[in-house]
Amino acid sequence: MKLTGWMLFLVAILANACAPNNVKVQPSWEKYFTQYKVEGCFMLFDNGKGTFGVYNLDRAKERFLPASTFKIFNSLVGLETGVIKDTSMVIPWDGIVRSREEINRSLSMNQAFRLSSFPYYQEVARRITKPVMQKWLDTVKYGNMKISKIDTFWVDNTLQISPDEELGFVKKLYFDQLPFHKLTMQTVRSVMLMEKTPQYELSYKTGWGTVGKKQIGWITGWIEKNGLPTFFVLNIESENPKTDMRTVRMNILKSILTEAGYIE
């Protein structure tokens, strides 16, 4: 396929994320995935420059379970419906001791988001109810919009979303283009801010789930420099149970952002 054909093809299938003026396949990013022996893809859209870098285009079109990246959507619906009053709203610990000691306590929404507490957001989903959640999935057109059990559908491989769709979703969130009140979207953006330095602000949500023997890892969000956002989505998978998904996904993200010049 000629380069022009590739460009047209990329623009067409990446329309969910944005309408880039300059799309570039980035084979050099493969080395970071090879380093950690994982499969994956990465998409980087610089909104100021209008440039779009993509590694592993085929995977970027595939849908996977969103795992904890769904906490972005769950938070939006929770806040919009009043199920979550504000970021300080506490849901009491249910007393069940889980492997992650840091979530075995009562948590506020802000704490639960940053700690990625599954039990907190299970309870949020239950309070939202299945019909209401379905309405919002359909309205936003989030992934395949499918629900099984209301408190597990985003981790049991029922709900699926592609990296391209994830990128489009966070871009719309940043620019207040989702069908929620602006205060709702502003509140969710505020809890997504994970790193703030004199050079940049890094906002994201991680995800980690399993499908059979496969571990699926995510990071989706944006990096802001000089008031201009660059959106990204990382999706990786490994069948090695010893893969340190938390470390690997963050190292790949930081390595690519550094190579691309967003982190010094």
Side-chain angles (χ1 to χ4, degrees):
M1 185 180 290
K2 295 180 181 179
L3 181 60
T4 302
W6 264 110
M7 295 289 285
L8 292 172
F9 180 57
L10 279 161
V11 171
I13 71 102
L14 297 174
N16 274 325
C18 31
N21 299 317
N22 183 19
V23 182
K24 185 177 180 181
V25 176
Q26 295 283 0
S28 69
W29 293 345
E30 182 179 8
K31 60 182 176 287
Y32 301 117
F33 297 84
T34 302
Q35 178 182 352
Y36 295 105
K37 299 178 181 178
V38 295
E39 298 293 325
C41 66
F42 192 83
M43 307 177 79
L44 187 68
F45 177 69
D46 187 314
N47 196 77
K49 296 177 182 176
T51 56
F52 204 154
V54 181
Y55 166 68
N56 198 345
L57 176 62
D58 289 339
R59 187 178 180 92
K61 298 180 289 181
E62 291 182 42
R63 283 174 170 168
F64 305 88
L65 80 170
S68 286
T69 63
F70 186 71
K71 288 184 174 71
I72 301 172
F73 189 95
N74 209 350
S75 296
L76 287 165
V77 178
L79 288 161
E80 188 76 7
T81 58
V83 165
I84 301 174
K85 302 301 180 187
D86 53 42
T87 60
S88 64
M89 191 192 88
V90 173
I91 292 181
W93 180 39
D94 58 12
I96 299 172
V97 177
R98 297 172 176 87
S99 58
R100 294 181 58 210
E101 186 176 344
E102 67 271 24
I103 66 171
N104 292 330
R105 57 190 174 98
S106 299
L107 296 170
S108 68
M109 180 256 184
N110 184 58
Q111 291 169 323
F113 191 93
R114 291 174 182 277
L115 291 172
S116 205
S117 171
F118 182 54
Y120 185 100
Y121 278 91
Q122 283 187 296
E123 181 58 26
V124 168
R126 293 183 199 112
R127 295 181 187 184
I128 289 170
T129 73
K130 187 173 180 177
V132 174
M133 186 71 83
Q134 186 68 66
K135 184 197 82 168
W136 283 105
L137 287 170
D138 294 342
T139 300
V140 175
K141 294 182 170 30
Y142 185 95
N144 65 0
M145 300 171 281
K146 292 184 179 180
I147 296 180
S148 53
K149 191 178 177 184
I150 185 58
D151 57 2
T152 60
F153 68 95
W154 62 95
V155 295
D156 66 13
N157 210 33
T158 300
L159 182 65
Q160 296 181 334
I161 191 168
S162 69
D164 177 47
E165 290 170 324
E166 282 266 29
L167 192 68
F169 176 66
V170 294
K171 180 175 179 286
K172 288 177 180 178
L173 171 60
Y174 183 91
F175 287 114
D176 286 332
Q177 294 172 343
L178 293 171
F180 301 98
H181 285 96
K182 286 189 176 181
L183 180 59
T184 296
M185 291 183 280
Q186 180 184 356
T187 300
V188 173
R189 290 197 299 270
S190 73
V191 297
M192 287 178 67
L193 178 58
M194 300 294 179
E195 286 185 36
K196 187 171 183 177
T197 76
Q199 289 75 39
Y200 64 84
E201 293 184 5
L202 187 61
S203 300
Y204 60 85
K205 184 69 194 77
T206 57
W208 182 7
T210 57
V211 181
K213 293 182 178 180
K214 292 182 180 180
Q215 296 187 69
I216 306 294
W218 292 93
I219 306 182
T220 184
W222 56 84
I223 186 166
E224 198 169 354
K225 290 187 73 173
N226 303 318
L228 297 173
T230 295
F231 303 95
F232 58 81
V233 59
L234 170 69
N235 173 277
I236 61 176
E237 95 177 32
S238 173
E239 292 192 13
N240 183 351
K242 294 183 179 179
T243 298
D244 184 352
M245 190 62 72
R246 288 188 179 91
T247 301
V248 168
R249 66 190 174 190
M250 187 56 66
N251 286 353
I252 293 175
L253 173 67
K254 292 287 185 73
S255 294
I256 295 176
L257 290 179
T258 300
E259 179 181 318
Y262 297 97
I263 296 177
E264 297 176 4

